[in-house]
Amino acid sequence: MEYLTGPPASTQGNILCCQCGVPIPPNPANMCVGCLRAQVDITEGIPKQGTLHFCKQCERYLQPPGTWIQCTLESRELLALCLKKIKASLSKVRLIDAGFIWTEPHSKRLKLKLTVQKEVINGAVLQQVFVVEYIVQSQMCEDCHRIEAKDFWKAVVQVRQKTLHKKTFYYLEQLILKHRLHQNTLRIKEIHDGLDFYYSSKQQAQKMVDFLQCTVPSRSKSSQRLISHDIHSNVYNYKSTFSVEIVPICKDNVVCLSPKLAQSLGNMSQICVCIRVTSTIHLIDPSTLQIAEIDGNTYWRHPFNSLFHPKQLEEFIIMDINRVQDKRKGAGAGARSNKHTLAEAWVQKTSELNTDHQYFCCTHLGHILNPGDLVLGFDLANCNLNDEFANKMNPHNIPDVVLIKKSYDRTKRQRRRNWKLKELERDREGMDTDDERQYQDFLEDLEEDEAIRKNVNIYRNADVPVESDTDDDGPPRISLAEMLEDLHISQDATGGEGANMMTE
């Protein structure tokens, strides 16, 4: 009996490559992979090198035609930026995969590994991997170029104060540093009666003006000048100027108020002492301890001037002093100061110690003055007051002497001062010879007034040794609790004491 079997199982046969004769599985091109790649290069026309523009100042990359974007190394945003450079060439192939090849961060090279596919001869699909290398070239962006030029600006804030002393500007400088409002400035220029802040946009300048109006009593006005005009796009290019005028009153000034203003403040005396200038002018009546605050709007409606400038301060010695416990309030009197003590004192000029000429006065410094102390004040009895309100006052209502502050040894104060302040980087022009003396006056005001210190960043000076704060006879001092540590970042983060701590 014969058994019939079915046909043998069909198997796919090999063919010979039409180029090299190697047996290969059949494919539409009838060629092996090696010969196919030799005949067809699917990456032809795709650039293997490119250029990226990088701004070293702001660390941004240029995205043509004129946009600068922030990208980190090997990020998705940087990959998209690199692919956009060759987007037109990739339109003829299909992109399968893309990724970065690690390069040294400082090599100024970026390598991109791409995998593409393309249909070639007789419908055969060929896949190929290749590398595109980008050279990173440095190019400053327009924003950084304007900042570096320092002359290109679109808005300027001109801050002025018509005084001989710069105490208000020293205080204003510390407020600007504390709130970091100097970071957007292109340039800060110091002139004899104020500061100029230059900005690249009008909005940044307006923000500075708003800050000044909330910080110091002032008034402002603005103007603009046309630079260019594009008639096709109707675009105007202006330069804006903001003028800010600060009230011409500083700390320790003796002022004479108008009768109407003095009456509105609680019938206080017209002769007052300015004890502080913040967002308002803080005044005190040395004969009654009555205090008042005057904002910018009130001052410009009822302006008044300082009767003396700081160089006219004279030194007196306390011959006798009696503290007044109870002082009757007048009709309609306002609030009194709780931080001062009213006293009646007999004083004598240190330049007239060989005479018997003494002066009687009321003072608000009774809490810190004792017989034999030296004090600075103004002599109203032997001076010509050139003021419209003071000239109309009854001479009996004008005190002979107004005491301002207790006098200490300045050399000793500087030697024991274990703190410091930071300063704005600015161009100085027209510097006066007594700027250093005025700055020392401001530092002493910080030591004596705790209210002003709260708005200022004070840093500990490591170069001055720390002494005890319990010296009651010495000048006022700032405690260590009010000081900040000045941060210094070293080049080697693991060196010094940090390395010893890590190895323990």
Side-chain angles (χ1 to χ4, degrees), residues 43 46-49 86 99-101 103 110-115 128-134:
T43 65
I46 302 177
K48 306 302 187 294
Q49 285 189 340
I86 56 176
F100 285 101
I101 300 177
T103 55
L110 293 176
K111 291 185 179 181
L112 214 61
K113 181 181 179 181
L114 302 180
T115 304
Q128 190 171 342
V129 179
F130 64 102
V131 176
V132 180
E133 182 179 2
Y134 290 91

Side-chain angles (χ1 to χ4, degrees), residues 42 93-96 115-119 125-128:
I42 64 174
V93 297
R94 182 168 56 181
L95 182 63
I96 302 300
T115 304
V116 295
Q117 286 182 354
K118 183 179 182 181
E119 185 176 338
V125 178
L126 185 62
Q127 179 173 309
Q128 190 171 342

Side-chain angles (χ1 to χ4, degrees), residues 196-248:
D196 290 345
F197 298 87
Y198 294 88
Y199 295 90
S200 59
S201 68
K202 183 179 179 180
Q203 291 76 14
Q204 294 175 348
Q206 184 64 55
K207 183 179 179 181
M208 183 66 174
V209 173
D210 295 341
F211 172 78
L212 292 175
Q213 291 180 338
C214 296
T215 304
V216 290
S218 59
R219 63 180 176 180
S220 66
K221 60 182 179 179
S222 61
S223 62
Q224 58 184 11
R225 180 165 57 97
L226 180 64
I227 303 301
S228 62
H229 173 212
D230 188 351
I231 60 175
H232 300 288
S233 59
N234 203 27
V235 174
Y236 293 84
N237 183 19
Y238 290 100
K239 278 191 174 182
S240 303
T241 301
F242 295 88
S243 178
V244 179
E245 183 181 359
I246 303 175
V247 296

Side-chain angles (χ1 to χ4, degrees), residues 228-279:
S228 62
H229 173 212
D230 188 351
I231 60 175
H232 300 288
S233 59
N234 203 27
V235 174
Y236 293 84
N237 183 19
Y238 290 100
K239 278 191 174 182
S240 303
T241 301
F242 295 88
S243 178
V244 179
E245 183 181 359
I246 303 175
V247 296
I249 303 298
C250 295
K251 184 180 183 297
D252 297 337
N253 283 164
V254 176
V255 299
C256 183
L257 307 179
S258 64
K260 184 177 181 181
L261 179 60
Q263 183 181 7
S264 65
L265 296 177
N267 291 326
M268 68 188 305
S269 173
Q270 290 183 246
I271 303 296
C272 298
V273 178
C274 177
I275 56 175
R276 189 181 304 117
V277 176
T278 55
S279 57

